Amino acid sequence: MKSISSYLTAKSAKVSQRAQSLISLRFVFAILAVTLTSCNEKKTEEPQEEEKSTTEVALTVSQAKTVGIETGFVEDRNLNKVIKANGYTTVPPQNSAEVSTLIGGTVKDIFVLEGTYVNKGKVLATIQNLEVIGMQEDYQSAVANVEYLQLEYNRQKTLSDENVNPRKTFQEVKAKLAAERARAQAAKNKLDALHVNTKGTTSFVPIVSPINGYVGKINIAKGAFANTGVSLFEVVDNSQMHLDLNVYEKDLGSISIGQVIDFVLTNQSNKSIKGKIFGINKSFSNESKTVAVHAKIDPADAKGLIPGMYVSANINIVNATVPALPKDAVVKNADKYFVFVQEDEKAEEKHDHKDGEKEEVHEQEVHFKAIEVIPGTTDLGFTEVKFVNDIPTNAKIVTKGAFYLLSAMKGGGEHTH
């Protein structure tokens, strides 16, 4: 009996111990469930806090001063809507000349250097050709014959009028005179075309400039043989410089004669020059579907320009008053544009300190918030802005140092004490 009682007592103890273990496990699971729920709630809230913090930047007053933060207000500016185009400087065909010779010969002298300014008719070089002597002799012989035949013509006319000589003789003399006059004129025209004097005899032919301008490339050397039809000199008159701009098909409807353009040299963008459109081609220039638009440059602004310089131009289409900020105030982050607005200054933080503990000094902070904008036309250093959300009319906008604030915002937002 005693052994049975002992067995039942031991069995009851084991059952009680298992029940306690189950209760403990249930309690642990309940705690874990509460903990996981709490963590999930925190994780749900964290992105909102992070999203909020990544649009704000806080700097101390001294930091803002060191960085060079400056603020201003949105201004109403008179900005031009523009079409951008690329092109190059050039001169009209009548202001550029390739100088060649009408008769071949050996180059005797060269009187100019590249870059020399020459007037129309200036002798650039001389070539020698013995055939020129024969041309002069032909002219002078023809002139002498004309003088003789003119006298004979007068004599035969008198005799013919008096019926002394047959009229046939008079007609023969008249025909010879006309032929000799034609030969003399042809010989003179040849010598004039070569710029050779009809008097005397010479074998030298001058090569003269047909326009005023600067000597460009020189393609001959002393002692070389100059062939006909080959360019010997290049002369360019830059006083009538203009632009050839390439405008795309989609922009043609907005282009018209008389519109003002502003352009800068692609490799020397420190000076803006103005021009005015005077011609628009009526056919496409190439496979890129662009049309050449010609713009005249004021002669005073054309000084120092040479043909072939690449330019970037803005064609001014319309003029409108729009809200604008200095272009440095607008910064790009990913595919969006932002400006930074200075928020109201916050009071200095006060901290409780224990007895005997030194009070910690906290410098006043300046807070900035990134506001999304849609940029428009940029002209004269200002950019048109449209705010995605409304802001106060007197909001202080960061006009200098916006890029630094963007970097700080990406790097974590607020500073540390």
Side-chain angles (χ1 to χ4, degrees):
M1 259 327 260
K2 192 174 184 178
S3 61
I4 292 171
S5 177
S6 297
Y7 173 77
L8 290 173
T9 302
K11 190 76 172 175
S12 176
K14 285 182 180 180
V15 170
S16 176
Q17 193 172 15
R18 285 180 181 176
Q20 287 179 358
S21 297
L22 288 171
I23 292 171
S24 297
L25 285 172
R26 285 176 181 174
F27 180 73
V28 169
F29 283 134
I31 292 175
L32 284 173
V34 171
T35 303
L36 287 172
T37 303
S38 176
C39 287
N40 286 335
E41 289 178 356
K42 286 184 179 179
K43 285 182 180 179
T44 304
E45 293 175 358
E46 280 177 1
Q48 294 179 354
E49 292 181 2
E50 184 179 353
E51 184 179 350
K52 182 179 178 181
S53 66
T54 54
T55 63
E56 296 184 0
V57 180
L59 301 178
T60 64
V61 173
S62 59
Q63 284 176 330
K65 186 176 180 180
T66 301
V67 173
I69 300 293
E70 293 183 13
T71 60
F73 301 96
V74 177
E75 302 179 33
D76 287 334
R77 282 269 174 175
N78 199 20
L79 302 183
N80 289 322
K81 180 182 177 182
V82 299
I83 290 176
K84 296 186 179 295
N86 296 320
Y88 55 89
T89 57
T90 185
V91 293
Q94 61 269 27
N95 284 53
S96 178
E98 296 285 343
V99 185
S100 60
T101 178
L102 295 174
I103 187 171
T106 303
V107 178
K108 192 68 177 176
D109 289 297
I110 299 174
F111 302 110
V112 294
L113 298 173
E114 292 183 357
T116 304
Y117 182 83
V118 295
N119 292 313
K120 181 179 180 180
K122 167 73 175 178
V123 178
L124 307 177
T126 57
I127 63 174
Q128 186 175 30
N129 189 317
L130 298 179
E131 293 179 9
V132 178
I133 298 175
M135 293 179 188
Q136 288 176 307
E137 289 178 348
D138 289 343
Y139 171 74
Q140 293 165 5
S141 173
V143 169
N145 288 337
V146 167
E147 291 176 357
Y148 166 75
L149 290 171
Q150 183 65 53
L151 294 174
E152 183 65 17
Y153 171 83
N154 294 337
R155 189 173 70 88
Q156 291 297 329
K157 186 176 186 304
T158 302
L159 294 173
S160 177
D161 291 342
E162 296 176 355
N163 294 321
V164 175
N165 280 347
R167 192 163 183 81
K168 178 181 177 183
T169 304
F170 170 69
Q171 294 294 340
E172 288 176 352
V173 172
K174 184 180 179 180
K176 288 180 181 180
L177 177 60
E180 212 56 36
R181 279 178 176 170
R183 191 165 73 89
Q185 187 61 46
K188 185 178 183 299
N189 290 344
K190 287 182 181 179
L191 294 173
D192 288 345
L194 296 174
H195 303 284
V196 174
N197 199 325
T198 55
K199 297 180 180 179
T201 56
T202 180
S203 61
F204 296 111
V205 178
I207 307 299
V208 302
S209 175
I211 61 172
N212 299 331
Y214 291 91
V215 177
K217 194 173 182 181
I218 299 177
N219 300 316
I220 58 173
K222 195 172 180 179
F225 188 85
N227 289 303
T228 58
V230 177
S231 176
L232 308 180
F233 296 90
E234 181 186 64
V235 180
V236 179
D237 179 8
N238 294 340
S239 64
Q240 301 296 324
M241 187 76 66
H242 72 261
L243 299 179
D244 279 355
L245 302 175
N246 299 317
V247 175
Y248 287 101
E249 181 181 3
K250 65 182 179 66
D251 297 323
L252 279 179
S254 302
I255 305 296
S256 61
I257 293 174
Q259 288 173 333
V260 176
I261 67 168
D262 295 287
F263 72 93
V264 294
L265 302 176
T266 304
N267 298 320
Q268 303 175 29
S269 58
N270 58 340
K271 181 183 178 183
S272 178
I273 306 174
K274 288 190 177 295
K276 184 178 287 187
I277 294 176
F278 70 87
I280 303 171
N281 278 17
K282 302 303 178 184
S283 60
F284 290 110
S285 300
N286 46 43
E287 294 180 358
S288 63
K289 289 294 183 181
T290 61
V291 172
V293 173
H294 309 287
K296 186 178 181 180
I297 307 171
D298 188 273
D301 293 329
K303 292 180 179 178
L305 300 181
I306 60 176
M309 302 177 84
Y310 288 98
V311 302
S312 299
N314 290 336
I315 303 174
N316 300 320
I317 305 303
V318 293
N319 197 275
T321 301
V322 293
L325 287 168
K327 63 180 182 179
D328 292 338
V330 182
V331 291
K332 185 177 182 180
N333 185 21
D335 58 346
K336 295 183 179 181
Y337 293 86
F338 297 90
V339 298
F340 285 91
V341 176
Q342 180 178 332
E343 297 184 313
D344 295 335
E345 296 182 358
K346 296 183 179 180
E348 296 181 7
E349 297 179 5
K350 293 183 178 181
H351 302 274
D352 294 332
H353 299 278
K354 295 180 180 179
D355 294 338
E357 186 179 277
K358 188 176 180 180
E359 184 177 353
E360 185 179 357
V361 178
H362 294 277
E363 189 177 354
Q364 190 174 13
E365 292 181 343
V366 184
H367 290 253
F368 303 94
K369 186 174 183 180
I371 303 295
E372 186 180 353
V373 296
I374 300 173
T377 300
T378 297
D379 183 36
L380 302 174
F382 282 80
T383 298
E384 176 189 0
V385 290
K386 296 178 182 177
F387 291 89
V388 175
N389 298 311
D390 293 336
I391 65 168
T393 55
N394 61 345
K396 291 183 178 180
I397 312 292
V398 175
T399 56
K400 274 190 179 180
F403 185 77
Y404 174 84
L405 293 178
L406 177 64
S407 300
M409 186 178 76
K410 290 180 178 181
E414 300 187 359
H415 72 286
T416 57
H417 294 289

